[in-house]
Amino acid sequence: DKELDRAMVAHTDTHTDTAVGNGVDAVVEKVCSDELPVHSLERELGDCARAVLVRREWLKRQPGVASAEAVGRVPHEGFDYDAVHGACAEMVFGYIPLPVGVAGPLLLNGKTYQVPLATVEGALIASTRRGCKAITAAGGASAAVLSQGMTRAPVIRFPSAIRAAAFAAWMHDPANLAVAQEQFATTTRFGRLTSCRVTVAGRYAYARFVCATGDAMGMNMVSKGVSAVLDFLSAGSFGDLELLGLSGNVCCDKKAAAVNWISGRGCSVVAEATIPGHVVESVLKTTVSAACELNVAKNLIGSAMAGALGGFNAHASNIVTALYLACGQDAAQNVESSQCITLLEPANGGADLHVSVTMPSIEVGTVGGGTILAPQRACLEMLGVAGAGQEAGSHARELATVVAGAVLAGELSLLAALSAGHLMRAHLAHNRKPAAP
């Protein structure tokens, strides 16, 4: 079977890109001579899969490609490029397979999950699975969504600081917010403007709009609604406003920022579990006191000494990113979604271990974006949260709690391994191939 697999891979590498046929060579020549724009092949050819074939041949001839043969080794067959086009990526010439493993069972809020994680870091899934085992053996974890709302904060310039202040005062008036909400609602059936807070810096005003977006992560929905609000204001009471950018970095998207840490973005979630002392010792191979002592020294004091912003944890981003990749989320949003404080305390007179994670800005959606791709949707279906929930936003909230629960498991296991001195041993076992003879 292994020999057959290798033969099939070799056939794919040598056949599909060197004998493209079906008129592809002629199209490639047109692309290389700039008669046909390479960026719009899907539209020009009316065939997304054929567009990928042409683009691969074009790419092999381009400066900046050190190895044309390497292009042929990037897989491209068996993928739904129609789903990708206009939704997920541009200039597509193939796809990158990622191994997907499972961590579980994780008992969370009375429901059992097997959590899909896509990663190339050996030992990560095994470690998270051990944390899941400890949590489930302890009777499970609990998680709650504290708030839910996607944000967008355009940067607006006024002729004077006083006018910027007047705009802030107008937006902070509940009656005027209701007017803005009406304008926002004209652009969407699912989104709803819930609040707005304006920060003023001289002549610049940064209006941070907070919006309910149902089960979508919602950035596009929010941007469209905010644009409608600003168009309305510029045509009326604030004709002197100058929109410099729809995002003014107070949102704050894909950057570590105190505003997300304090005010939240997406879903703000807290998760906790109490692990009996015997489970700490038998499953996690450490002690309550050792784990608690390390957490203070590492995640609290160490992170403070490093000047961390929302980084008071061991490796929350590992689990967040792996789950995001598996479930079709925006992987770049791991930056703020991984903001987390992990707390460990002795419980029941020191016999047991209480562990919690608080994550104020988990940005997830179960509709739109990468969730439309079949493998990623399948991972959401595994969790029971694919598509829109019966109640608006319920699937997104449940997915956010799964993220927090998985992070809780990952934190618990890594801190245990570190406190017991087992980390390097685990990585040598799971993250290293033996040297070739």
Side-chain angles (χ1 to χ4, degrees):
D1 289 343
K2 290 182 179 179
E3 290 299 324
L4 179 60
D5 289 342
R6 280 195 288 269
M8 291 178 67
V9 170
H11 175 75
T12 298
D13 289 346
T14 59
H15 175 72
T16 55
D17 278 357
T18 58
V20 289
N22 294 326
V24 168
D25 286 333
V27 178
V28 172
E29 293 302 325
K30 288 187 176 182
V31 174
C32 290
S33 63
D34 293 330
E35 294 180 52
L36 197 61
V38 68
H39 66 274
S40 59
L41 286 172
E42 287 80 2
R43 184 182 70 247
E44 298 290 340
L45 300 178
D47 185 334
C48 292
R50 189 162 179 248
V52 169
L53 281 177
V54 172
R55 191 172 289 117
R56 290 168 74 86
E57 293 303 309
W58 166 85
L59 183 58
K60 292 176 182 179
R61 309 181 191 186
Q62 298 308 300
V65 176
S67 169
E69 291 76 15
V71 175
R73 290 194 294 273
V74 176
H76 68 94
E77 292 187 315
F79 198 81
D80 184 3
Y81 293 108
D82 289 330
V84 172
H85 179 55
C88 298
E90 302 78 40
M91 288 289 289
V92 177
F93 73 99
Y95 61 91
I96 299 298
L98 278 175
V100 181
V102 63
L106 172 64
L107 182 58
L108 177 67
N109 288 342
K111 183 176 177 180
T112 298
Y113 298 92
Q114 296 284 352
V115 184
L117 300 173
T119 183
V120 292
E121 181 179 345
L124 174 62
I125 297 172
S127 177
T128 306
R129 187 168 184 264
R130 183 176 74 147
C132 292
K133 180 180 179 180
I135 290 171
T136 300
S142 299
V145 176
L146 305 171
S147 63
Q148 183 179 21
M150 183 47 62
T151 63
R152 177 55 89 199
V155 52
I156 304 162
R157 184 166 60 193
F158 287 91
S160 68
I162 298 304
R163 282 295 289 161
F167 170 75
W170 191 94
M171 286 300 308
H172 295 163
D173 186 322
N176 294 331
L177 176 63
V179 173
Q181 288 172 326
E182 290 178 3
Q183 296 303 313
F184 188 97
T186 63
T187 67
T188 174
R189 292 181 297 149
F190 306 102
R192 181 170 54 87
L193 175 61
T194 58
S195 66
C196 180
R197 194 70 193 171
V198 180
T199 299
V200 172
R203 296 196 296 139
Y204 299 93
Y206 301 82
R208 192 173 193 259
F209 293 86
V210 181
C211 313
T213 59
D215 285 301
M217 185 272 286
M219 285 295 298
N220 291 336
M221 187 189 304
V222 173
S223 296
K224 187 177 180 181
V226 168
S227 293
V229 173
L230 296 179
D231 288 344
F232 172 79
L233 294 177
S234 66
S237 302
F238 294 96
D240 55 350
L241 74 78
E242 180 185 2
L243 177 62
L244 297 183
L246 194 56
S247 173
N249 274 9
V250 182
C251 310
C252 178
D253 190 41
K254 299 172 184 173
K255 291 164 282 291
V259 68
N260 294 336
W261 181 241
I262 296 169
S263 299
R265 190 171 197 253
C267 290
S268 296
V269 184
V270 62
E272 67 175 349
T274 299
I275 314 299
H278 68 87
V279 174
V280 173
E281 294 178 2
S282 64
V283 176
L284 300 175
K285 310 299 182 185
T286 189
T287 64
V288 171
S289 60
C292 290
E293 183 179 20
L294 174 65
N295 188 67
V296 171
K298 172 182 168 64
N299 286 344
L300 304 185
I301 300 174
S303 294
M305 295 301 293
L309 181 58
F312 298 93
N313 59 82
H315 69 148
S317 64
N318 255 337
I319 291 88
V320 171
T321 304
L323 202 153
Y324 275 25
L325 289 172
C327 293
Q329 308 302 302
D330 188 336
Q333 288 184 322
N334 80 85
V335 176
E336 62 270 37
S337 295
S338 298
Q339 289 188 316
C340 169
I341 184 167
T342 300
L343 298 175
L344 270 64
E345 301 174 86
N348 301 322
D352 304 324
L353 175 66
H354 181 270
V355 55
S356 69
V357 294
T358 305
M359 305 178 69
S361 48
I362 299 177
E363 298 157 338
V364 291
T366 59
V367 298
T371 70
I372 67 173
L373 301 177
Q376 286 83 344
R377 183 177 177 86
C379 287
L380 291 173
E381 289 172 351
M382 282 177 54
L383 297 170
V385 295
Q390 290 187 345
E391 179 187 344
S394 59
H395 275 182
R397 289 192 294 272
E398 185 175 350
L399 179 57
T401 63
V402 172
V403 172
V407 168
L408 187 74
E411 291 288 281
L412 190 59
S413 185
L414 178 55
L415 288 168
L418 285 168
S419 65
H422 295 161
L423 178 65
M424 185 51 63
R425 189 187 312 165
H427 272 269
L428 289 174
H430 294 281
N431 204 19
R432 291 289 184 272
K433 289 284 188 183

